[in-house]
Amino acid sequence: MAVVKELIKAQDGAISFGDYTLPKKTKLSDFEHCGDLYKVKTFKDITRLEKNGMFVYESVPGTAVNDLKVTGNEVRFQVEGPEDSQITLELESETDYKVYIDDTNVGKMKTNLGGKLSFSVELNAGTSASVRIQKA
């Protein structure tokens, strides 16, 4: 897995985005995929994705996300970064989700009133983690 040099790209119904190797904030707006418009902001300190002007994903520090797929009951993606990262996703508000990292159930979490779900992923330079979040 590697950073997304195009900042955001689509393939096989999924999107990939983010470049944590950039020294300064770089943005790309109006990326169309499946009738939606995406905007990505990324660099070493943060990676953020918006869909149709609404928050989707944020990591601190920045990460690269590959093969992000969102269905009615599940979110899946591969994440890579230079160090441990705090990830926040926008999901359904006040809903229980099971979080799996590298196929290990790390617990059940409930989104807040705004639908935010935050968790940490242990990463080292050159390593990646598989993340799957399912409605409980």
Side-chain angles (χ1 to χ4, degrees):
M1 197 169 92
V3 297
V4 182
K5 292 297 182 186
E6 305 91 336
L7 299 187
I8 188 169
K9 66 181 180 179
Q11 65 186 57
D12 300 327
I15 61 171
S16 299
F17 60 94
D19 185 346
Y20 60 85
T21 65
L22 296 170
K24 63 180 184 156
K25 189 185 310 182
T26 306
K27 302 180 207 178
L28 180 68
S29 298
D30 300 328
F31 179 84
E32 189 171 350
H33 175 64
C34 295
D36 295 306
L37 290 178
Y38 288 87
K39 177 180 181 180
V40 65
K41 298 177 201 174
T42 187
F43 75 125
K44 64 181 177 141
D45 292 338
I46 191 168
T47 295
R48 182 177 174 96
L49 180 71
E50 296 176 6
K51 175 179 161 184
N52 300 325
M54 302 294 290
F55 175 82
V56 173
Y57 172 99
E58 182 175 273
S59 68
V60 177
T63 55
V65 175
N66 283 281
D67 300 321
L68 173 70
K69 293 181 184 175
V70 179
T71 63
N73 294 322
E74 185 175 78
V75 177
R76 289 178 173 254
F77 58 92
Q78 288 283 122
V79 62
E80 176 184 318
E83 59 187 279
D84 296 352
S85 187
Q86 177 77 24
I87 295 174
T88 303
L89 298 171
E90 177 85 27
L91 301 167
E92 289 183 35
S93 65
E94 299 185 314
T95 303
D96 288 325
Y97 289 91
K98 292 179 186 173
V99 178
Y100 297 87
I101 299 175
D102 291 329
D103 293 322
T104 299
N105 185 344
V106 296
K108 188 163 72 169
M109 299 178 189
K110 186 172 189 163
T111 55
N112 65 17
L113 187 60
K116 301 266 193 301
L117 180 78
S118 294
F119 57 94
S120 295
V121 177
E122 293 181 22
L123 300 169
N124 295 310
T127 65
S128 67
S130 173
V131 177
R132 179 169 46 105
I133 300 168
Q134 288 182 310
K135 277 187 185 177

